[in-house]
Amino acid sequence: MGAEAARRRTFAVISHPDAGKSTITEALALHARVIGEAGAVHGKAGRRGVVSDWMAMEQQRGISITSAVLQFAYRDLVVNLLDTPGHADFSEDTYRVLTAVDCAVMLLDAAKGLEPQTLKLFEVCRARRIPVITFINKWDRPGREPLALLDEIEQRINLRPTPITWPVGTAGHFHGVVDRRTGEMTAFQRTPGGATAAVEEQLTPAEAAHRYGGDWQRAVEELDLLGLTGADHDQDTFMAATTTPVLFGAAVANFGVRQLLEVLASHAPAPQPRVDTGGTPRGVDAPFAGFVFKIQANMNKAHRDQVAFVRVCSGRFSRGMTVTHAGTGRPFATKYAQQMFGASRETIDEAYPGDVIGLVNATALGIGDTLHDGPAVAFPPLPSFTPEHFAVLRAADISTFKRFRRGVEQLDAEGVVQVLRSDRRGDQAPVLAAVGPMQFEVAVARLDAEFGVPTQLEHLPYREARRTDAASQERLLGVPDAEVLTRLRDGALLALFTSGWRMRSIADSRPGVTLEPLLAAD
């Protein structure tokens, strides 16, 4: 069991939107030789989209809206790569994915450096002590000085960069990279369209100096400076999440991607014991246990079903085994288990710690649920974020109400939006609560595309939400700029207010009213 766990590498790619996240996801799969041709997110007409962006809206807009799982072999390893949404509106989905990984690749735009969403996601990694590998992308375009980018990483997020590769040529005039461990240079030559792996040529320092002259000399001087400051990779400090290996490249041209894959293989951690709700680490060789971190329906028109994504934390999973649902204590059969590759899937017979398996039509499972074999165990619940946007949703045609209700229940189960109910509006007009307004667009588009239900949205003016109780609900009844609704998935009462100032004013005028913050782990 320990040997199988040691072969696994499970990581997520995180970044600000448009930093090239989905592009590098496919570039890694390309270099692992599990796909023959990569499609850029903003590909030219006729060029296919990335395999990890399977939703129609993702392909139309060139953004990742939902997380995707790609499992593939590289050398003697099994890689579980989780592509995540970069847009802030989908932070909740990304946060849940980060609970299921052992490492993260932080992707930076060479011209923009650390951007707001990257900073937010890094803080999640810091809180969970997830080791981070940094890939500075788009070095084939004009950008900032490499030493300035390293300084920004250290100054702004207190993470010491320890470059493993170093660029030869300024941003926009990229010739290749020096491997600091060997001193040799890898020169890159782009293939037509960048759809296949870049042509690489290994050069000795003397050959590189002869060919690239001043650019090589500049790289050597910068490398000497890094050596004087002791910016060398140390596995212990990387695992402690205080340093970050840094690599340079251009994902769209497949420059530097092989080097990143090799660093992931050699330095990224294998699955470690995971702490349960009682604070006890569960070793990877313990009996099977895992938790649901994502639910997704209708990923493929040929498979219009619901899939629960389970991160295996310990033990050996065998298809068909009967496990226990920790929340209810009831047995759960795992007859339909699949390995995921974007929207594609195939039956899987066994899985080990670090793997992500898809349980098909597991409608009894919810996000955060633990499944286990043998002695009882439960892992901590997954967070739900505090919503800041609210809208009433109605079916445009009342004859579609049954499909409308089924679709809303599905979106709620997946965590696409939180669904609230108000007595005055009833079941026919649920209130959707979201971290960002783009979640509403996704909900409306999916109801139309997957359930055949055109809908209408009416935005509400509320911007603050707090947990309350039945007694306080009575006291808030009829108060202007406030409303109390019930969250369907857990029955929690949420008090909504038009602003923070109005919320505080109402609380001051009604002492004793319960208004509790919606904590991330509620």
Side-chain angles (χ1 to χ4, degrees), residues 42-190:
H42 299 290
K44 297 179 181 179
R47 189 172 178 185
R48 63 192 187 86
V50 294
V51 295
S52 58
D53 286 341
W54 53 268
M55 192 183 296
M57 185 182 291
E58 294 179 308
Q59 294 167 355
Q60 291 162 4
R61 298 194 181 193
I63 61 172
S64 292
I65 288 172
T66 181
S67 53
V69 178
L70 283 74
Q71 185 184 76
F72 53 86
Y74 180 66
R75 296 181 179 172
D76 61 341
L77 302 176
V78 177
V79 177
N80 293 281
L81 194 169
L82 280 65
D83 180 33
T84 63
H87 199 286
D89 287 10
F90 307 107
S91 298
E92 197 164 4
D93 193 21
T94 300
Y95 193 107
R96 286 192 289 257
V97 167
L98 288 175
T99 66
V101 301
D102 304 309
C103 182
V105 172
M106 181 170 67
L107 200 63
L108 302 187
D109 186 313
K112 300 175 181 177
L114 286 167
E115 298 177 86
Q117 186 65 5
T118 312
L119 292 169
K120 290 181 182 179
L121 295 173
F122 171 74
E123 288 304 326
V124 175
C125 294
R126 187 198 299 276
R128 299 190 58 82
R129 298 185 67 81
I130 297 173
V132 173
I133 297 170
T134 299
F135 186 83
I136 297 179
N137 193 25
K138 303 185 182 181
W139 205 255
D140 57 337
R141 305 180 187 179
R144 295 162 58 184
E145 294 291 330
L147 290 172
L149 288 164
L150 297 193
D151 187 60
E152 181 183 32
I153 293 171
E154 186 159 18
Q155 295 300 318
R156 295 190 66 183
I157 61 177
N158 196 29
L159 190 64
R160 191 173 189 208
T162 56
I164 288 181
T165 67
W166 194 254
V168 178
T170 57
H173 296 87
F174 189 28
H175 306 305
V177 294
V178 184
D179 188 324
R180 292 187 65 210
R181 297 164 296 187
T182 65
E184 294 197 341
M185 177 184 173
T186 300
F188 299 123
Q189 181 179 339
R190 185 170 184 160

Side-chain angles (χ1 to χ4, degrees), residues 78 172 196 208 334 368 389 412 479:
V78 177
T196 56
T334 62
H389 301 269
D412 191 24
V479 174

Side-chain angles (χ1 to χ4, degrees), residues 145-425:
E145 294 291 330
L147 290 172
L149 288 164
L150 297 193
D151 187 60
E152 181 183 32
I153 293 171
E154 186 159 18
Q155 295 300 318
R156 295 190 66 183
I157 61 177
N158 196 29
L159 190 64
R160 191 173 189 208
T162 56
I164 288 181
T165 67
W166 194 254
V168 178
T170 57
H173 296 87
F174 189 28
H175 306 305
V177 294
V178 184
D179 188 324
R180 292 187 65 210
R181 297 164 296 187
T182 65
E184 294 197 341
M185 177 184 173
T186 300
F188 299 123
Q189 181 179 339
R190 185 170 184 160
T191 58
T196 56
V199 176
E200 296 188 3
E201 182 182 3
Q202 299 301 124
L203 302 176
T204 65
E207 291 170 333
H210 176 72
R211 184 178 301 183
Y212 296 113
D215 284 338
W216 170 258
Q217 185 58 39
R218 175 174 175 168
V220 168
E221 291 171 357
E222 292 170 336
L223 288 170
D224 288 343
L225 182 59
L226 291 173
L228 291 172
T229 60
D232 301 319
H233 173 73
D234 178 80
Q235 188 67 11
D236 291 337
T237 56
F238 165 60
M239 292 291 289
T242 59
T243 63
T244 177
V246 179
L247 300 98
F248 292 79
V252 74
N254 296 305
F255 292 174
V257 177
R258 179 183 62 81
Q259 289 77 9
L260 173 60
L261 190 55
E262 290 181 351
V263 167
L264 283 163
S266 59
H267 296 318
Q272 304 295 310
R274 187 165 290 256
V275 176
D276 63 20
T277 52
T280 302
R282 184 179 179 89
V284 295
D285 56 352
F288 166 76
F291 66 92
V292 179
F293 68 92
K294 175 181 174 61
I295 292 175
Q296 186 71 59
N298 304 328
M299 294 176 64
N300 190 318
K301 291 182 179 180
H303 305 282
R304 298 188 68 83
D305 47 24
Q306 178 174 306
V307 179
F309 290 76
V310 178
R311 154 71 192 236
V312 179
C313 299
S314 65
R316 177 177 178 268
F317 170 84
S318 299
R319 181 170 61 90
M321 70 188 299
T322 298
V323 296
T324 301
H325 184 287
T328 64
R330 296 175 181 172
F332 183 89
T334 62
K335 182 178 180 181
Y336 302 105
Q338 297 184 331
Q339 172 184 311
M340 314 305 294
F341 191 81
S344 302
R345 56 175 78 175
E346 62 181 37
T347 299
I348 187 171
D349 292 321
E350 60 184 16
Y352 295 91
D355 286 341
V356 174
I357 56 177
L359 298 180
V360 181
N361 288 334
T363 55
L365 297 180
I367 292 173
D369 287 355
T370 297
L371 298 174
H372 66 84
D373 190 24
V377 64
F379 296 110
L382 300 193
S384 60
F385 281 22
T386 302
E388 299 177 8
H389 301 269
F390 305 87
V392 180
L393 184 69
R394 295 183 177 88
D397 183 350
I398 59 173
S399 68
T400 62
F401 180 67
K402 287 186 178 179
R403 296 201 305 273
F404 171 77
R405 183 172 60 186
R406 189 167 66 250
V408 170
E409 289 173 352
Q410 180 64 53
L411 297 177
D412 191 24
E414 293 180 21
V416 175
V417 287
Q418 296 182 39
V419 181
L420 314 179
R421 184 189 186 279
S422 66
D423 291 335
R424 76 184 192 193
R425 298 184 185 89

Side-chain angles (χ1 to χ4, degrees), residues 431-490:
V431 173
L432 305 186
V435 174
M438 195 177 290
Q439 289 176 262
F440 296 144
E441 295 183 46
V442 172
V444 168
R446 289 190 58 190
L447 285 169
D448 190 6
E450 298 171 22
F451 296 91
V453 181
T455 54
Q456 299 171 342
L457 269 179
E458 174 194 344
H459 292 273
L460 297 175
Y462 304 121
R463 289 294 179 267
E464 295 283 344
R466 294 292 186 272
R467 188 192 298 272
T468 189
D469 53 31
S472 300
Q473 181 182 22
E474 291 295 324
R475 297 185 63 190
L476 293 171
L477 190 64
V479 174
D481 303 325
E483 185 176 354
V484 178
L485 296 91
T486 304
R487 187 163 60 187
L488 292 189
R489 65 174 170 81
D490 60 2

